[in-house]
Amino acid sequence: EDQVTQSPEALRLQEGESSSLNCSYTVSGLRGLFWYRQDPGKGPEFLFTLYSAGEEKEKERLKATLTKKESFLHITAPKPEDSATYLCAVQDPGYSTLTFGKGTMLLVSP
Amino acid sequence: DSGVTQTPKHLITATGQRVTLRCSPRSGDLSVYWYQQSLDQGLQFLIQYYNGEERAKGNILERFSAQQFPDLHSELNLSSLELGDSALYFCASSVAERNTQYFGPGTRLTVL
């Protein structure tokens, strides 16, 4: 059974204070690793898909990286509008469904 | 805006009742997924349809059922509702199976 663990559960940063969120996974074979952002009461918003170890993707202040056992979401010089819950999900080769972690709740203070 | 629409936004009902949640996928998307999100469980996959056919089932209760219609919209039916069914229900869609899933805004179900 696929498992996804995200850490920390919650993270509080000052504006401009860079940090990283972790997503570790155990799957029989990884087809893709997905990062989503979710604001309270809203649907998850797609950020990135990573397919193979060593792959990196960037979008504004966010950068996602992937190794064979974990993925990191690096946040550089965050702003208050980056405050949200960040969800990681894995997709194994046999299925199209996603297994989600419980998320990291990020709060960026001005 | 992802292009996925869900109705209603909020639903308040009583235990034992039955409700229907509706989802319209993004234009051109053939695959529809339903997820349940509760505070303690996180996002849990319920069921997937592709072009009208059921393709995968997750931890979906027997009291729950779904279908995808010829126009590709989908409905999730929840019956004999219990307090524990209170949650956010999300629909997602993708162009084909195994492509990126785009989520709708969700339906918040409250069972009293």
Side-chain angles (χ1 to χ4, degrees):
Chain A
E1 183 180 322
D2 298 348
Q3 291 196 345
V4 181
T5 304
Q6 292 188 246
S7 62
E9 289 184 12
L11 181 62
R12 189 167 208 157
L13 299 173
Q14 289 294 122
E15 185 172 1
E17 180 186 1
S18 301
S19 187
S20 295
L21 313 183
N22 177 263
C23 171
S24 61
Y25 60 90
T26 54
V27 295
S28 55
L30 182 69
R31 186 186 181 276
L33 186 138
F34 298 77
W35 283 99
Y36 287 84
R37 168 195 169 125
Q38 186 176 25
D39 293 302
K42 304 284 182 67
E45 175 190 343
F46 171 70
L47 293 173
F48 305 108
T49 309
L50 302 167
Y51 293 104
S52 57
E55 189 175 359
E56 299 182 352
K57 287 194 177 171
E58 286 189 67
K59 180 180 178 180
E60 295 180 359
R61 296 176 292 282
L62 300 177
K63 179 179 175 180
T65 62
L66 181 65
T67 72
K68 286 188 178 178
K69 292 186 177 180
E70 56 192 351
S71 177
F72 293 93
L73 186 65
H74 308 277
I75 304 177
T76 302
K79 298 182 177 181
E81 53 261 42
D82 295 321
S83 298
T85 294
Y86 291 86
L87 299 168
C88 167
V90 297
Q91 185 181 60
D92 71 43
Y95 304 94
S96 57
T97 58
L98 299 177
T99 301
F100 279 86
K102 293 196 174 182
T104 293
M105 186 183 303
L106 174 66
L107 177 63
V108 182
S109 304
Chain B
D1 185 355
S2 68
V4 179
T5 60
Q6 290 187 247
T7 56
K9 286 188 177 179
H10 303 278
L11 202 46
I12 301 175
T13 189
T15 54
Q17 295 297 306
R18 172 190 168 95
V19 297
T20 297
L21 313 183
R22 182 187 169 104
C23 167
S24 292
R26 297 185 318 156
S27 178
D29 284 3
L30 298 178
S31 199
V32 169
Y33 310 79
W34 285 97
Y35 291 85
Q36 179 192 58
Q37 187 175 42
S38 58
L39 283 173
D40 56 341
Q41 292 293 322
L43 259 174
Q44 299 282 312
F45 166 70
L46 295 177
I47 196 164
Q48 179 211 352
Y49 282 82
Y50 177 77
N51 204 21
E53 292 189 9
E54 182 185 303
R55 300 292 279 189
K57 264 187 173 180
N59 297 323
I60 187 167
L61 299 171
E62 285 191 12
R63 301 182 285 109
F64 296 1
S65 64
Q67 59 185 126
Q68 186 179 27
F69 294 87
D71 67 353
L72 300 177
H73 91 272
S74 179
E75 292 181 356
L76 179 67
N77 301 296
L78 315 176
S79 62
S80 303
L81 285 167
E82 302 176 358
L83 296 177
D85 298 327
S86 296
L88 273 165
Y89 290 83
F90 290 105
C91 166
S93 72
S94 63
V95 170
E97 296 186 280
R98 305 193 180 102
N99 286 92
T100 297
Q101 295 177 28
Y102 294 89
F103 283 76
T107 293
R108 181 176 293 279
L109 174 66
T110 302
V111 182
L112 301 175

